[in-house]
Amino acid sequence: MRSRIGDAVPSLGATALLAILLAAISAATVTQDTWLALVAGREVVVHGLPTQNHLTVFGAGHIWVDQQWLAQAAFYGLDRFAGGGAVALGMAAALAAFGGASYLGSRGGTKPLAATAFLIAAVVADPWSIQVRAQELALPLYVALVALLLADEQRVRARTFLCWPIFVVWANVHGSVAFGVAIVCAYAVTARTRRTLALAAGCLVSAFASPYAINLPRYYWTMLVDPPFAGINVEWQPSWPGFLTIGFYLLATVTGVVVLRARNSFTRFEIVLLVLTFASAVVALRNIVWFAVAVVAVVPRRVAPGDPLYGRGVRTLAATCVAVMLATITYAATRHDADRSGSLTPSAAAAVAAAVEHTHGIVFADDLHADWILWHVPSARGRVAYDGRLEILSRAQLLRLIAMRDAASAVPLLARYSVVVETPARTRRLNRWGRVAYSDAATVVVVRPAALLRVGQRWRRCRSTTPSVPGVCV
């Protein structure tokens, strides 16, 4: 037991430092995907598993395959129970994933500095991995899968088949379960035994263990092969060299040098895992996280091997690291509970809520604000033009949305809308359409004249009654 604790101390120390970093930037981890998860979770809990979209105007009546329903329900349930529980759950999932990967990379002993450096480099390479969204809950499942395959690389044991229940849960948490199947198939190819083929076949079947099983083939085809938002959504674009990908290519370069210099110490599956995850990361920005976690799980002990820590203080040090992580998770949750506006200022949040709640018309908001509105103003359900679920829209609808967001052509296309909530850059030419009810550096609320009087009255009352509490005015 003491040797295992000694092996874990470098990874625990690195994870504790990561926890402090995440607590410091916890407000930045709340994005539009966070509100999307909460809104969809509320739909699942209140109205049951959705099959058609009833949240937005553009997607009204469209088929909605809510493959991530379990993750969304977990976010919603914990947030309702514990206030800022969504942030706490996301932060705990990220720490469990990166900490678990760091432990895998430190087995047999490694220097604490190496474990910390690779862990921080992985987060820098893909900062989207620490955002509070459904994908975060898939990361611990991915690490558990990699741990099983690395431990049983020589032969498939009974415990290796624990991959099946992992996939059953993963199939209801996030669409990246398809990438997990690809990893198991690569593992089966490297081992080439009947048991590995049975393992891969079982994982493939388990990936369809969902209430949406019949619709999942079409869903995966849409998301992975023919997405309507190709070229529109930044995270689905290739990882071309640039400012956003500097960390990724630096991490990939260091990993490549280590693999070439110490290639005899890497197993065949480890090399296949690194190559497969790197290729997927090049294909799309949102896939960088799988490569980053794989690097943390495989490379550190090859760079700076070291003896495991022993002595009386090892357990105390490990317990201290765990206590730091628990304390930072609690702090992040309570901090977010006190500031429910996320990236919006309290004044902007109150102005948006007042405009949307009391115009009773259709709202056009960008994906930064749409799901926030749906979450904080329940009466906006069915009145928001679109939200972050771009996969339920057609290509033609997405191109029309781009035209509507273009300030030069938005005025005639927004004739049926009562409120526009956008960023300042996209609302400069909307003065002919309505009047600016609120404006700051990140948010502009434009209201049509017919609704402006009611909004102004409501906004003044909101400021006088709830000056520091963002959300729906009461």
Side-chain angles (χ1 to χ4, degrees):
M1 176 63 70
R2 182 174 297 179
S3 62
R4 290 185 179 182
I5 296 177
D7 279 341
V9 165
S11 60
L12 285 175
T15 309
L17 291 176
L18 177 61
I20 296 173
L21 173 64
L22 294 184
I25 63 172
S26 59
T29 65
V30 178
T31 66
Q32 58 266 33
D33 285 341
T34 308
W35 306 121
L36 171 59
L38 290 171
V39 168
R42 183 172 60 194
E43 284 290 302
V44 171
V45 174
V46 176
H47 301 285
L49 290 175
T51 56
Q52 288 185 330
N53 173 63
H54 298 291
L55 291 174
T56 61
V57 176
F58 266 66
H62 289 202
I63 296 176
W64 180 11
V65 180
D66 192 15
Q67 188 266 341
Q68 306 173 8
W69 69 272
L70 184 59
Q72 294 163 347
F75 276 124
Y76 172 76
L78 191 58
D79 195 82
R80 293 292 86 185
F81 176 75
V87 171
L89 179 59
M91 187 173 172
L95 292 177
F98 283 102
S102 182
Y103 174 73
L104 293 176
S106 303
R107 288 176 304 171
T110 189
K111 295 181 180 179
L113 182 60
T116 303
F118 273 95
L119 191 63
I120 300 301
V123 175
V124 172
D126 185 43
W128 306 280
S129 62
I130 58 176
Q131 294 178 349
V132 180
R133 54 180 178 175
Q135 178 179 279
E136 255 187 326
L137 302 191
L139 292 178
L141 301 173
Y142 169 64
V143 173
L145 173 68
V146 170
L148 286 173
L149 299 183
L150 290 177
D152 298 336
E153 186 175 356
Q154 299 300 322
R155 63 186 180 90
V156 176
R157 304 177 186 179
R159 69 180 182 186
T160 316
F161 288 93
L162 290 174
C163 292
W164 291 356
I166 289 176
F167 273 92
V168 169
V169 178
W170 199 346
N172 298 280
V173 168
H174 194 256
S176 55
V177 64
F179 183 66
V181 171
I183 291 176
V184 175
C185 290
Y187 170 81
V189 170
T190 59
R192 291 177 293 185
T193 65
R194 291 183 179 179
R195 298 193 77 180
T196 56
L197 294 177
L199 176 70
C203 290
L204 179 61
V205 173
S206 300
F208 289 88
S210 166
Y212 298 96
I214 298 177
N215 303 104
L216 283 183
R218 181 180 178 181
Y219 173 81
Y220 289 135
W221 178 270
T222 300
M223 297 297 290
L224 302 176
V225 180
D226 188 26
F229 47 78
I232 298 175
N233 190 297
V234 174
E235 285 193 60
W236 288 86
Q237 294 179 4
S239 302
W240 304 118
F243 177 76
L244 291 176
T245 57
I246 291 176
F248 162 61
Y249 281 106
L250 287 176
L251 182 63
T253 300
V254 172
T255 301
V257 171
V258 173
V259 171
L260 289 176
R261 293 185 61 180
R263 54 186 176 273
N264 293 330
S265 65
F266 287 88
T267 65
R268 182 166 51 184
F269 173 67
E270 288 175 338
I271 294 178
V272 169
L273 176 65
L274 292 174
V275 171
L276 180 62
T277 53
F278 173 76
S280 69
V282 173
V283 170
L285 279 168
R286 67 181 294 118
N287 293 335
I288 292 178
V289 61
W290 313 116
F291 172 73
V293 172
V295 170
V296 174
V298 171
V299 176
R301 66 177 181 270
R302 268 77 178 217
V303 174
D307 295 328
L309 299 177
Y310 295 104
R312 295 181 179 179
V314 169
R315 292 187 178 182
T316 301
L317 183 59
T320 302
C321 293
V322 172
V324 168
M325 286 185 275
L326 293 177
T328 51
I329 291 173
T330 303
Y331 167 76
T334 55
R335 176 183 177 184
H336 179 64
D337 190 36
D339 179 11
R340 305 288 288 165
S341 58
S343 60
L344 298 177
T345 64
S347 297
V352 170
V356 172
E357 187 180 10
H358 290 274
T359 54
H360 303 293
I362 303 177
V363 181
F364 185 88
D366 60 3
D367 50 2
L368 179 64
H369 299 92
D371 286 295
W372 185 95
I373 293 172
L374 287 169
W375 174 248
H376 286 284
V377 189
S379 62
R381 183 175 185 264
R383 296 196 292 121
V384 176
Y386 76 105
D387 68 345
R389 296 165 301 126
L390 301 181
E391 71 276 6
I392 70 172
L393 304 181
S394 66
R395 182 73 177 179
Q397 286 179 314
L398 290 173
L399 294 177
R400 179 174 174 81
L401 283 175
I402 293 175
M404 294 176 70
R405 293 177 63 172
D406 182 5
S409 59
V411 173
L413 294 175
L414 291 173
R416 62 182 298 202
Y417 295 91
S418 299
V419 180
V420 172
V421 183
E422 276 274 9
T423 57
R426 296 196 180 106
T427 55
R428 291 174 181 171
R429 300 190 183 184
L430 290 180
N431 290 331
R432 294 176 296 166
W433 175 84
R435 296 184 183 180
V436 176
Y438 177 85
S439 178
D440 63 19
T443 304
V444 174
V445 182
V446 185
V447 184
R448 296 192 72 177
L452 192 59
L453 180 60
R454 293 195 303 271
V455 172
Q457 294 172 344
R458 183 62 176 179
W459 168 234
R460 285 192 295 272
R461 183 167 44 190
C462 175
R463 292 188 64 184
S464 64
T465 56
T466 56
S468 61
V469 180
V472 180
C473 301
V474 294

